[in-house]
Amino acid sequence: MAREKKVRIQRTPEEIAQLRKERAEKKARRQAEIARQLAEEQENIVHQALTSKQENRWEVKRRLEARHDYLRGRRKAYLLDRDLDKAKLEETEINEFIGLLDYWFKEYEESIQKILTEMLKYPEPRLNDAAYRFLSNLLEKGPMGMSFWVYAWNREFVPNDLMEIMDERHLSPKHGLTGYAKELRESCAHIILPREIKKHLLWEEERLEAAKQITDEIKREKQIARVTARIQKMKHLINDVYVR
């Protein structure tokens, strides 16, 4: 008896996109659960050897890391389909994240750097503005260390607001007087950051090629315009602002 041939299911692009989305969400949930379990196990091990003062510091760091993970997770969920409802925060949450910036001092600086970077990326104008003002105030007080800037440029995406802060002084409709290139050059940004900026420039050029393949004309043109503007900003920083 001849074998029956398997019928290959033909799926539409929309169905394929939905399947990929569901798989990505399932993978993200699985990774989040594994990370939570590992963090819980690590926390139990560390707590066994902590004094009360050290334990208080550990609790603060744990809380800061948890809030960073929460904000990042909400932003990643939003990016799956650009659904703003997935990124919407309660008023108390917005105020809480803004208040966490008060922990910016040596002991918790690494955790706050991560939260600050997420606030600049997050699709919530009040978080963006608070993060922008926070960095501006630090730079106005004098040259700040490079650790935050190196961390931010080592991420997979650098927000436009961050590039605006790194630019020369100019009037912005969004932020008013902006640009702290002079202060950042005094911190040796022109020596440390160009390599990272060039890495992102290559990524944006790849994104531009991908944007040209989008079938929906309106979405294609919007994405091309968005990515082209970012490429121009990065080239400006490399060639005009942070030249060694």
Side-chain angles (χ1 to χ4, degrees):
M1 183 176 180
R3 288 185 180 179
E4 292 185 4
K5 291 185 178 180
K6 292 183 178 179
V7 178
R8 187 174 180 180
I9 299 174
Q10 297 293 327
R11 292 190 171 93
T12 66
E14 291 76 14
E15 289 174 330
I16 293 172
Q18 181 63 27
L19 279 173
R20 287 176 176 171
K21 177 185 172 184
E22 291 172 358
R23 288 170 185 164
E25 289 176 340
K26 184 177 180 181
K27 182 179 179 182
R29 287 194 298 271
R30 185 168 63 250
Q31 289 176 335
E33 178 59 22
I34 293 171
R36 185 192 66 76
Q37 292 175 2
L38 289 174
E40 196 173 273
E41 291 173 7
Q42 183 66 23
E43 182 179 351
N44 291 335
I45 293 170
V46 174
H47 267 278
Q48 295 173 9
L50 292 177
T51 65
S52 59
K53 185 176 180 181
Q54 289 173 322
E55 187 167 337
N56 181 59
R57 289 198 297 267
W58 171 260
E59 282 297 322
V60 173
K61 287 183 178 180
R62 186 188 65 79
R63 177 194 169 207
L64 293 174
E65 290 295 325
R67 298 316 285 157
H68 163 265
D69 293 346
Y70 172 77
L71 197 64
R72 179 179 172 81
R74 293 289 297 272
R75 181 175 65 83
K76 290 291 187 180
Y78 152 77
L79 288 174
L80 287 173
D81 53 12
R82 302 279 175 173
D83 182 356
L84 282 171
D85 285 339
K86 293 181 180 178
K88 188 174 181 180
L89 298 172
E90 300 292 336
E91 192 73 24
T92 54
E93 291 179 311
I94 294 171
N95 292 333
E96 178 192 8
F97 280 110
I98 294 173
L100 290 179
L101 297 179
D102 291 337
Y103 284 90
W104 180 279
F105 45 89
K106 187 174 182 180
E107 199 164 22
Y108 307 117
E109 188 172 319
E110 182 178 348
S111 297
I112 298 302
Q113 285 177 357
K114 296 163 70 174
I115 291 174
L116 188 59
T117 303
E118 282 300 318
M119 287 174 66
L120 285 165
K121 296 179 182 180
Y122 204 82
E124 166 51 60
R126 283 172 290 179
L127 291 186
N128 302 156
D129 292 341
Y132 191 99
R133 288 196 305 272
F134 182 81
L135 282 174
S136 298
N137 289 335
L138 287 178
L139 288 164
E140 285 172 359
K141 293 175 183 176
M144 60 183 286
M146 278 285 99
S147 60
F148 165 75
W149 306 94
V150 171
Y151 172 82
W153 279 98
N154 270 317
R155 301 304 91 194
E156 73 280 5
F157 181 82
V158 174
N160 290 333
D161 283 350
L162 193 72
M163 289 191 278
E164 187 174 286
I165 288 178
M166 291 177 62
D167 205 348
E168 302 284 2
R169 289 189 179 275
H170 61 277
L171 285 174
S172 160
K174 183 177 179 181
H175 294 296
L177 183 63
T178 65
Y180 294 87
K182 179 181 177 182
E183 291 82 353
L184 284 162
R185 280 197 297 267
E186 290 175 3
S187 301
C188 298
H190 60 297
I191 297 174
I192 298 170
L193 296 183
R195 184 179 65 179
E196 299 300 330
I197 301 174
K198 289 175 183 176
K199 177 179 68 178
H200 277 269
L201 176 60
L202 289 175
W203 290 349
E204 292 298 331
E205 289 172 343
E206 291 174 359
R207 290 179 68 209
L208 180 60
E209 292 306 310
K212 294 176 181 178
Q213 306 305 315
I214 297 173
T215 54
D216 185 293
E217 184 178 357
I218 295 176
K219 290 182 179 178
R220 182 176 66 249
E221 294 306 316
K222 283 184 177 180
Q223 182 67 354
I224 288 175
R226 185 184 298 118
V227 177
T228 299
R230 287 176 58 79
I231 288 174
Q232 290 173 348
K233 287 180 183 179
M234 290 179 187
K235 286 183 176 179
H236 169 61
L237 291 178
I238 295 168
N239 299 324
D240 305 321
V241 182
Y242 295 95
V243 182
R244 293 187 64 170

